[in-house]
């Protein structure tokens, strides 16, 4: 995990590396405006500029060799509309802070990622997700967006706009999102249970029932064997989820709190052992005031059709002797299909196969290539914010609205103000 350091060009404290420290941003200036008007002036005057969220992505998606702008200095107002069941907040707000506001007022979001440390605009821009077969990714909650365009104008978009489903997962290429309106619901409580010891065969025989046994279910393995080490089941106490058949599936209830990454402190994790608590203190695995995950790591993740879950995991298992030496943990989750053009779940209920690697880029890169080869028959869609090698030609065929998104980029940003090497590679002009 990288520390924030001072950027001499602007005398503003911002991270000049990403959170993981594997990307050093090439930007010459890093702006931290304190008002939307100042932001508009900065963007309007820029030849090339990218928005930076909390820097939790692992690739060069946020990077640029020109200017970066962080919204961390903008005032954060949180406005709940109880009639529309929405909340509107600044794009730079972190989910953990927004969740506190909402819970205090009796509301909840439908889901959260494994960590609450990430910004709302940055997470939605990459289709960040949690788990739960009925739960769309976090961007599916977006009902409205305000963004600063390449010309420095402030533009508001909502679901009545035909381009809206393209703009929401925008990869930072359509403007700087200053405000996001999200769907909310009455607050709810979750009880989180951890089980251990799910054999590969029990998983194969019971996959659908296991995935349905909670509001959000995560499986963890280090691939030193074909079996699953931990099953995390988050059950809403206001819903009747199908039961966890621990005996039938050969599971043992954990006798104390667990961390998904072997050897990491359990204090960093949200409360387990079936003790019910507010949604935002159970849906993420990691607590806001502690280091999420392991802190020294790289990540990759691939979404494949949920119907292929067992076959895809078996394919990964065929190369587990290559994976295990550079892996900290692998997490398996489900995500519901949606209509967002660049969502990894576009029109496809998905199973997400995630890898928390060691922080050794040279050792990990060939294993990422091997995973992509093993998963190729399942047309994997890689997480936009994590490490992957699949090229634009292959990826374009996996998204029905790929060309529409390329045209959207050209229309919203004709002079390429928000372009960088990543967008030029995947969506060439
Ligand atoms: C420990 C850890 C755990 C993680 N767990 C999960 C998980 O459970 N599920 C999951 O799906 N992902 C997970 N991720 C990945 C993470 O959620 C994504 O990479 C997410 O995009 C990070 O958000 P951010 O605010 O840090 O965005 P950044 O990494 O800063 O930026 C990501 C993209 O968003 C754009 N962007 C940022 N702010 C704005 C803005 N205001 N306007 C326009 N564009 C903007 C950037 O230009 C860039 O293109 C995890 C990452 C880490 C480090």
């Amino acid at each position: 995990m990288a520390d924030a350091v001072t950027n001499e060009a602007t005398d503003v404290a911002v991270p000049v590396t990403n959170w993981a420290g594997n990307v050093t941003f090439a930007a010459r200036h890093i702006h931290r405006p304190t008002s939307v008007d100042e932001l508009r002036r900065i963007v309007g005057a820029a030849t090339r500029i990218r928005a930076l969220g909390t820097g939790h992505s692992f690739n060069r998606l946020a990077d640029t060799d020109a200017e970066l702008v962080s919204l961390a200095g903008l005032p954060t107002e949180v406005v709940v509309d109880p009639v529309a069941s929405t909340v509107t907040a600044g794009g730079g707000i972190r989910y953990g802070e927004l969740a506190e506001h909402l819970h205090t007022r009796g509301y909840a979001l439908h889901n959260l990622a494994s960590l609450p440390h990430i910004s709302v605009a940055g997470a939605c821009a990459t289709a960040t997700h949690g788990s739960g077969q009925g739960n769309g990714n976090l961007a599916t909650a977006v009902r409205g967006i305000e963004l600063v365009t390449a010309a420095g104008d402030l533009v508001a978009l909502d679901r009545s706009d035909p381009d809206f489903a393209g703009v929401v997962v925008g990869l930072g290429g359509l403007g700087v999102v200053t405000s996001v309106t999200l769907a909310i619901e009455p607050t709810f409580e979750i009880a989180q249970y951890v089980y251990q010891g799910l054999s590969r065969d029990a998983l194969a025989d019971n996959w659908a029932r296991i995935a349905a046994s909670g509001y959000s279910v995560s499986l963890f393995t280090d691939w030193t064997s074909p079996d699953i080490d931990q099953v995390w089941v988050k059950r809403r106490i206001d819903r009747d989820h199908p039961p966890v058949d621990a005996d039938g599936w050969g599971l043992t209830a954990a006798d104390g709190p667990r961390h998904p990454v072997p050897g990491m402190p359990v204090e960093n994790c949200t409360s387990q052992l079936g003790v019910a608590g507010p949604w935002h203190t159970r849906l993420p695995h990691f607590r806001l005031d502690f280091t999420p995950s392991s802190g020294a790591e790289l990540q990759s993740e691939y979404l494949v059709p949920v119907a292929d879950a067992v076959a895809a995991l078996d394919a990964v298992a065929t190369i587990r002797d290559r994976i295990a030496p550079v892996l900290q943990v692998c997490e398996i989750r489900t995500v519901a299909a949606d209509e967002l053009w660049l969502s990894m779940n576009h029109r496809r209920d998905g199973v997400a196969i995630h890898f928390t690697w060691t922080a050794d880029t040279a050792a990990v890169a060939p294993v990422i290539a091997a995973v992509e080869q093993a998963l190729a028959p399942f047309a994997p869609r890689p997480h936009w914010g994590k490490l992957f090698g699949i090229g634009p030609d292959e990826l374009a065929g996996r998204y029905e609205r790929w060309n529409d998104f390329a045209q959207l980029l050209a229309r919203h940003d004709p002079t390429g103000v928000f372009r960088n090497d990543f967008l030029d590679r995947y969506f060439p002009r």
Side-chain angles (χ1 to χ4, degrees):
M1 181 181 53
D3 288 331
V5 297
T6 297
N7 178 285
E8 298 299 334
T10 55
D11 199 23
V12 165
V14 289
V16 292
T17 69
N18 64 343
W19 174 86
N22 66 312
V23 171
T24 299
F25 295 117
R28 294 193 306 270
H29 301 285
I30 305 180
H31 302 277
R32 192 169 170 166
T34 53
S35 72
V36 172
D37 282 343
E38 187 187 351
L39 170 68
R40 292 179 58 192
R41 280 195 297 276
I42 290 167
V43 175
T47 322
R48 268 180 312 126
I49 192 163
R50 295 281 294 170
L52 180 62
T54 52
H56 282 80
S57 295
F58 290 85
N59 56 32
R60 294 198 166 271
L61 178 61
D63 195 22
T64 172
D65 58 2
E67 299 175 67
L68 276 174
V69 62
S70 159
L71 303 193
L74 287 188
T76 302
E77 205 192 354
V78 177
V79 179
V80 169
D81 181 338
V83 177
S85 289
T86 58
V87 62
T88 300
I93 195 170
R94 298 189 301 163
Y95 271 102
E97 288 145 8
L98 177 61
E100 286 286 351
H101 278 279
L102 283 174
H103 177 64
T104 307
R105 295 176 204 184
Y107 293 99
L109 299 170
H110 79 289
N111 210 359
L112 291 168
S114 70
L115 77 175
H117 307 61
I118 49 179
S119 79
V120 173
C124 292
T126 64
T128 287
H129 59 89
S131 188
Q133 55 182 13
N135 298 325
N137 67 45
L138 304 190
T140 62
V142 178
R143 296 291 177 268
I145 270 188
E146 264 185 19
L147 48 77
V148 174
T149 66
D153 297 328
L154 189 61
V155 170
L157 294 167
D158 63 25
R159 293 205 288 182
S160 65
D161 189 303
D163 289 339
F164 190 67
V167 172
V168 173
V169 181
L171 308 183
L174 299 158
V176 180
V177 174
T178 51
S179 153
V180 183
T181 298
L182 304 174
I184 55 174
E185 58 188 276
T187 192
F188 55 87
E189 291 207 337
I190 295 260
Q192 177 165 239
Y193 302 84
V194 176
Y195 300 89
Q196 291 179 286
L198 177 66
S199 73
R200 180 268 163 210
D201 290 348
L203 170 67
D205 290 346
N206 301 290
W207 158 256
R209 290 171 64 211
I210 294 168
S213 66
Y215 184 67
S216 164
V217 175
S218 291
L219 313 181
F220 293 98
T221 174
D222 62 8
W223 285 121
T224 53
S225 85
D227 303 329
I228 299 295
D229 305 320
Q230 295 183 16
V231 180
W232 287 43
V233 182
K234 301 172 196 260
R235 293 170 66 87
R236 276 178 78 142
I237 63 167
D238 60 342
R239 296 228 178 134
D240 286 327
H241 301 292
V244 175
D245 182 6
D247 291 341
W249 303 338
L251 299 175
T252 311
D255 58 4
R258 294 286 184 270
H259 193 295
V261 182
M264 296 304 295
V266 296
E267 294 73 28
N268 298 10
C269 292
T270 50
S271 180
Q272 303 159 31
L273 299 169
V275 180
W279 59 283
H280 62 297
T281 63
R282 299 293 186 277
L283 285 173
H285 307 323
F286 307 111
R287 295 165 63 186
L288 182 59
D289 298 336
F290 291 79
T291 301
S293 195
S294 88
E297 66 196 68
L298 301 170
Q299 294 188 9
S300 305
E301 187 169 39
Y302 301 91
L303 277 287
V304 301
V306 75
D308 294 332
V310 173
L313 290 172
D314 282 346
V316 172
T318 62
I319 55 163
R320 65 182 179 77
D321 58 330
R322 294 194 61 193
I323 293 172
V326 291
L327 185 75
Q328 302 195 54
V329 80
C330 172
E331 180 176 11
I332 298 136
R333 290 177 278 186
T334 51
V335 191
D338 62 58
E339 287 294 322
L340 304 173
W341 298 359
L342 280 197
S343 161
M344 293 85 77
N345 315 293
H346 181 73
R347 296 190 178 162
R348 196 165 99 171
D349 287 329
V351 62
I353 307 177
H354 160 93
F355 301 85
T356 299
W357 306 110
T358 58
D360 183 343
T361 302
V364 166
V367 185
I368 289 177
V371 168
E372 291 181 357
Q373 206 178 353
L375 288 177
F378 309 102
R381 294 172 178 165
H383 191 305
W384 289 110
K386 302 186 183 181
L387 296 174
F388 63 94
I390 300 171
D393 293 342
E394 244 174 306
L395 215 47
R398 296 179 190 166
Y399 285 88
E400 290 166 45
R401 306 300 297 269
W402 187 273
N403 291 337
D404 294 330
F405 185 76
Q407 288 164 18
L408 190 65
L409 282 177
R411 267 203 319 280
H412 271 252
D413 185 16
T415 56
V417 170
F418 299 117
R419 285 198 158 262
N420 62 1
D421 288 348
F422 189 104
L423 291 184
D424 282 343
R425 175 166 186 229
Y426 283 90
F427 303 96
R429 277 183 273 188

